[in-house]
Every structure is written in C-alpha cells, then in structure tokens.
C-alpha cells in the first residue's frame, strides 16, 4: 500500500516560505490521514478521500479556494480513473459545489461518465450535492488585482491499495483568469490516467499537458515495459521540446513512485506507512 499526492505548483504571486511550509505540512497531514483510510478502503475510494481533503483546503487551487475565471466565476474540473476496470469519470467546468471529485466518483456507475457545465451541476444536485460557493477572499483579491499569475495549484492523488489495485484522481480550479469555456486538462486522459500497470496525475499548464498527452503517455510506456523513470524521462523530454510547463506524480503496480516537473516548484508528498517524502 502506498500513495503519493500533489498540490500543484507554488503560486507565482506568493512564493513566501510561510505558504510553502503550510502547503508542505498540509500535504504531509493529508498523506498520513489518507494512508490510514487506505487500510480499510480501495485505491479508488482513497484517491477520492485524499483529493476531497485537498479540495477542502483553501491553500490549494481546487474545490474551496479555486481560482476565478475571467468573468468572475469559478468553474472546477475533476476526474477519477480506476486502474482495475479502466473506467474514467469526470466533471468539467462545474460551478457551486464543494467537492467535484466526489461527483466524479458518483458518475463512475453511469453510462455518461464525463459531464460538463450545467449538466454536471444538475447531476450533482440530483445526487444530493448541496449548493456551495468555493470562493475565498484570497482568490477574490487576486482576481480583483488581476494577478494573472495567481498560481497553478491543481491537486491529485495516485494510490496502490492492499490488493495491488491502482487509481488516480485529479481536481482543479483551472489556470485562473481563463476565457469562459476553456477546458482544463485535469478532467482529460492527458491529465489523469490509470490502468492495471500505472496511475498518473498531472498539474501545470493544461494546454501543454494536453499537447503532450502526458498522463496517457507515461502509463502507456510503463504498460509497454519501461520503468517509471524511463517513461518520465522520455515524456518530459517531449514536453521540453514544446517548451511545456507541467509536473506529474505516478505509482506503478509494484508500488514504485515517481515524480518530475519541468519547473522545480511543484509540491507533493508520499507515504507508505513508515516514511514520508515531502518536497522541500
Ligand atoms: N492543469 C490545470 C489547468 O490547466 C492548472 C494547474 O495544474 O494548476 O487547468
């Protein structure tokens, strides 16, 4: 059993040591509580549990504390993939709910598993998700000040459970100040992908992640026999060739974990029951 979570990149508008330390501590706490949860739950359930906690922490750009788009509204995206049955579910640009990743989880049982905009909100309401404003004063201030580099800070989790099952979950408030209608990578297979061999969650500039097909490529390379390191090295070389900005975390079915980022400011934490690895 093992898991690794990420909290996106450090905000370019707030590089203070205080914020870095607070994010690292939050990741450490969430990795520990999620590992406890993993003892009695599946990889899929644990990925949702971990990402829900990250969504609820306003330090991160997902759920509460999501960034505001150019028209002053918050639209969130999240996806879940179960490595056992290769099912992918997600919501794209959903408004006014607390935990987009939990809607993705409920969607797993549906034929129509990726919903957008009003349809996603309607489905959430029909399934008991209350109206909730994810806006925080900090994000409103950033928006008002038009700090366009408000910071990339998507969250994600990849897990292997006691039965060796893999899952990946990713949730985001987007890039901030984006055009209405813009689609994030987080609820696509470029940003979140898993099968029986490997699970990957990405963060960074969504357009770069989609252009590079990052999560799917890494998983495919591991499926075809490459090590995580080889798969990441090749995929990030390809990202560099398009001058891309992103990072990813991964776990394989042997319990190996790996992470890499194009810019060294990504925050992540892993836990295997005895030792933590936290980005310093
Ligand atoms: N990948 C997200 C997006 O482009 C942003 C992020 O990772 O912070 O929507």
């Amino acid at each position: 059993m093992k898991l690794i979570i990420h909290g996106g990149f450090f905000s370019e508008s707030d590089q203070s040591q205080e914020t870095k330390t607070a994010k690292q501590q939050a990741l450490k706490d969430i990795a520990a509580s999620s590992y406890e949860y993993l003892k009695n739950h599946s990889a899929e359930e644990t990925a949702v549990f971990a990402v829900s906690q990250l969504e609820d922490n306003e330090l991160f750009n997902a759920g509460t504390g999501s960034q505001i788009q150019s028209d002053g509204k918050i639209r969130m995206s999240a996806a879940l993939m179960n490595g056992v049955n290769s099912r992918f579910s997600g919501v794209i640009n959903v408004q006014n709910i607390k935990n987009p990743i939990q809607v993705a989880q409920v969607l797993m049982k549906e034929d129509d598993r990726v919903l957008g905009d009003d349809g996603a909100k309607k489905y959430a309401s029909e399934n008991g998700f209350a109206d909730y404003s994810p806006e925080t004063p900090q994000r409103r201030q950033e928006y008002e000040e038009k700090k366009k580099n408000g910071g990339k800070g998507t969250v994600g989790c990849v897990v292997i459970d006691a039965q060796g099952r893999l899952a990946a979950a990713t949730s985001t408030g987007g890039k901030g100040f984006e055009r209405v209608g813009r689609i994030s990578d987080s609820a696509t297979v470029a940003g979140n992908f898993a099968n029986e061999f490997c699970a990957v969650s990405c963060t960074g500039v969504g357009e770069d992640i989609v252009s590079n097909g990052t999560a799917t490529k890494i998983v495919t390379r591991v499926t075809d026999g490459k090590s995580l390191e080889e798969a990441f090295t090749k995929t990030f070389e390809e990202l560099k060739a398009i001058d891309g900005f992103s990072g990813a975390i991964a776990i394989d079915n042997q319990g190996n974990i790996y992470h890499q980022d194009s810019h060294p400011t990504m925050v992540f934490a892993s836990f295997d029951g005895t030792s933590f690895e936290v980005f310093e």
Side-chain angles (χ1 to χ4, degrees):
M1 290 195 311
K2 204 179 275 184
L3 58 87
I4 173 166
I5 59 178
H6 73 77
F9 284 87
F10 287 127
S11 163
E12 287 160 29
S13 65
D14 185 0
Q15 290 279 6
S16 69
Q17 190 52 44
E18 210 183 323
T19 304
K20 286 185 190 181
T21 309
K23 282 192 169 184
Q24 286 164 348
Q25 188 57 47
L27 285 170
K28 202 172 169 184
D29 293 345
I30 292 169
S33 61
S34 301
Y35 188 84
E36 262 318 292
Y37 188 86
L38 180 58
K39 289 179 180 168
N40 302 307
H41 294 86
S42 70
E44 181 186 313
E45 289 164 337
T46 305
V48 172
F49 179 83
V51 168
S52 297
Q53 288 187 72
L54 291 160
E55 287 177 337
D56 290 343
N57 189 319
E58 61 181 67
L59 283 173
F60 303 107
N61 171 28
T64 305
S66 285
Q67 297 199 92
I68 301 175
Q69 298 196 335
S70 56
D71 65 345
K73 294 186 176 149
I74 290 174
R75 295 178 183 81
M76 301 166 288
S77 300
L80 177 63
M81 189 153 182
N82 184 319
V84 179
N85 55 17
S86 287
R87 276 168 95 93
F88 180 101
S89 63
V91 288
I92 295 176
N93 287 331
V94 68
Q95 293 186 54
N96 292 315
I97 55 165
K98 189 160 184 259
N99 293 106
I101 194 65
Q102 293 177 13
V103 184
Q105 185 181 31
V106 178
L107 275 165
M108 267 296 182
K109 64 179 187 318
E110 306 288 355
D111 289 336
D112 301 335
R113 288 195 289 280
V114 184
L115 298 181
D117 303 287
D118 295 348
K121 171 66 182 164
K122 186 165 181 284
Y123 179 85
S125 302
E126 284 166 6
N127 283 276
F129 290 87
D131 250 12
Y132 174 85
S133 169
E135 188 178 310
T136 59
Q138 165 76 18
R139 296 299 184 204
R140 177 54 61 179
Q141 192 190 332
E142 284 172 6
Y143 174 77
E144 298 301 344
E145 290 169 7
K146 299 240 181 302
K147 283 184 179 169
K148 299 208 177 192
N149 294 323
K152 298 155 195 76
T154 296
V155 302
C157 176
V158 292
V159 199
I160 184 164
D161 66 20
Q163 273 102 61
R165 298 173 295 197
L166 299 172
T170 307
S171 181
T172 190
K175 285 197 297 192
F177 298 95
E178 59 268 72
R179 190 185 289 267
V180 176
R182 183 248 179 194
I183 307 269
S184 162
D185 64 290
S186 300
T188 73
V189 295
N192 188 80
F193 200 72
N195 67 9
E196 62 185 295
F197 297 96
C198 181
V200 176
S201 169
C202 298
T203 180
V205 176
E207 286 69 10
D208 297 345
I209 296 166
V210 168
S211 298
N212 194 44
T214 305
T216 327
K217 263 187 193 168
I218 292 171
V219 171
T220 304
R221 286 182 167 140
V222 172
T223 303
D224 290 347
K226 300 262 186 246
S227 67
L228 281 176
E229 185 175 351
E230 289 165 340
F232 267 79
T233 302
K234 178 100 174 96
T235 305
F236 275 78
E237 271 166 22
E238 290 162 350
L239 180 75
K240 198 167 179 200
I242 58 166
D243 197 25
F245 184 119
S246 73
I249 55 171
I251 195 159
D252 69 14
N253 63 5
Q254 304 305 305
N256 299 307
I257 56 167
Y258 206 80
H259 66 90
Q260 191 166 331
D261 41 62
S262 58
H263 296 68
T265 52
M266 188 175 165
V267 280
F268 69 90
S270 66
F271 193 50
D272 61 5
T274 46
S275 64
F276 281 107
E277 198 189 345
V278 183
F279 175 88
E280 299 288 333

